[in-house]
Amino acid sequence: MCSTFCVAQTIENPAFERCDVPAFHITKVKIAKDTTYVFCSYYAEAGSWASISKDTYLRDSKSHKAFPLLRCDGLPYSPEERSFSKNESCQFLFCFPSISGIEQFDFIESEVEKGFNIYSINLKRSYKTSYSDTELNRISEMVLAYDSSDSTEEAMLLKDYATSLNNLVSYNASIGNQAKAIRLGTTEMEIRKKVFGKEHPSYIESLCNLVGYYTILGKYSEAIKLQTEVTKVLKNSNGVDNIDYITSLSELALYHAYIGNYSEAIKIEKETLEIKKKLFGTENFDYAQSVNNLAGFYSAIGNYMEAIILGKEAVEIKKKLLGNEHPEYALSLRNLALYYSHSGRLSEAITLGTEAMKIRKRILGTEHTDYVLSLCDLADYNYKIGKYAEAIRFGTEVMEIRK
């Protein structure tokens, strides 16, 4: 249990340097005698899930002393997940030992991969909570007029604006105001491009954040333009045999698929697949994911034979890597079943769909959305093959769960 509030220090909207998940934002920090309370907002997209690692901690930016997570309200600990059926803004509370006396800290979920990580959170400074259109226009004019030979003072001022805008972008993203996040984030991106240069990590990060906001709004054409820029910059700075470049390629392929441009999606994902094969070999999870994506693209254009061939490969790789009691293996089985169903081979679809359903029931439980989805698949396959009693049985179970 967290201690009762005996607050020695409270800061609203603490300023920070950067965050790995723009839609995750610290709104308030309260430091009591024994406990630090970190209040956060997070914008979850429909169909997504979230959890928090038990190993999450706060870290003093100066001494690197760690303060372990004591409790979390609003999120389950990994590997349990909180699923979101609709777009929503959520509030979380994290409790840690008291960090009284510390001026700056990091919120760390994972040191080795992107997670709910926020860096250089300043307890002595709050970020500016709004910018008027007039202020944004004035900043944009400063950016246009800026030259690298200008004074260091002007460069520092623009850098401060970029940090302040980034904080405000994160806040708007965390409450679902993506349009405002795009307006502010575009100005931030312009600053980073002009002051830091196109190959600087902060410029690439700004571009990636904007891509995320556009995709939430369903504006995939704008997302494609920006993601193409990200991919070009990464290729020029790191070369093609690089994990960041191939990750960017895969995302670009997905955005093309979202707008129905499957020929371009297939072309890009094939390039991704070849690089992953070269770097990691074929017995690799990331390679299997690209195989799975490519299968889905072929299925979307009606090339079910190619989709089935690739789907089988994804199933075999994931079984070898993860075993047959893993959600990812069950997902690959379900995808393969869909390809068989689309091609009219319903008996094979039922066999694979049944296996996927049983795995999901065992490892996820009967209340999980993936299990319910498998039941819906089986109801559909059995109906199409004329097994109406079976279709009704699966459909009835779905309705009972959804009551």
Side-chain angles (χ1 to χ4, degrees), residues 190-322:
E190 290 170 351
I191 295 173
R192 296 192 186 281
K193 182 179 181 180
K194 196 72 176 283
V195 177
F196 294 98
K198 289 178 67 174
E199 294 189 0
H200 195 276
S202 67
Y203 170 66
I204 298 171
E205 183 181 334
S206 293
L207 285 173
C208 291
N209 291 344
L210 284 170
V211 169
Y213 308 144
Y214 277 120
T215 56
I216 290 173
L217 293 177
K219 296 185 175 182
Y220 298 116
S221 295
E222 288 87 345
I224 286 170
K225 291 176 188 175
L226 293 171
Q227 192 65 43
T228 300
E229 171 74 2
V230 171
T231 304
K232 286 179 180 177
V233 172
L234 290 171
K235 183 178 182 179
N236 291 337
S237 57
N238 302 326
V240 297
D241 294 340
N242 178 274
I243 187 64
D244 290 333
Y245 173 70
I246 56 180
T247 299
S248 184
L249 269 183
S250 277
E251 290 174 356
L252 185 57
L254 285 173
Y255 300 144
H256 277 289
Y258 290 155
I259 63 170
N261 191 357
Y262 292 108
S263 59
E264 189 66 19
I266 289 169
K267 175 186 171 184
I268 294 170
E269 196 62 55
K270 278 185 173 179
E271 181 185 351
T272 306
L273 195 65
E274 286 304 310
I275 298 172
K276 286 182 177 179
K277 184 176 182 179
K278 176 183 174 183
L279 293 179
F280 311 126
T282 58
E283 293 185 9
N284 172 270
F285 182 78
D286 285 338
Y287 175 81
Q289 290 294 79
S290 279
V291 171
N292 186 70
N293 290 346
L294 199 52
F297 300 155
Y298 275 115
S299 176
I301 61 172
N303 190 342
Y304 302 123
M305 291 304 297
E306 191 65 30
I308 288 170
I309 291 168
L310 291 164
K312 284 182 176 179
E313 184 181 359
V315 165
E316 289 304 313
I317 295 170
K318 289 188 179 180
K319 183 176 183 180
K320 186 175 289 187
L321 292 175
L322 305 171

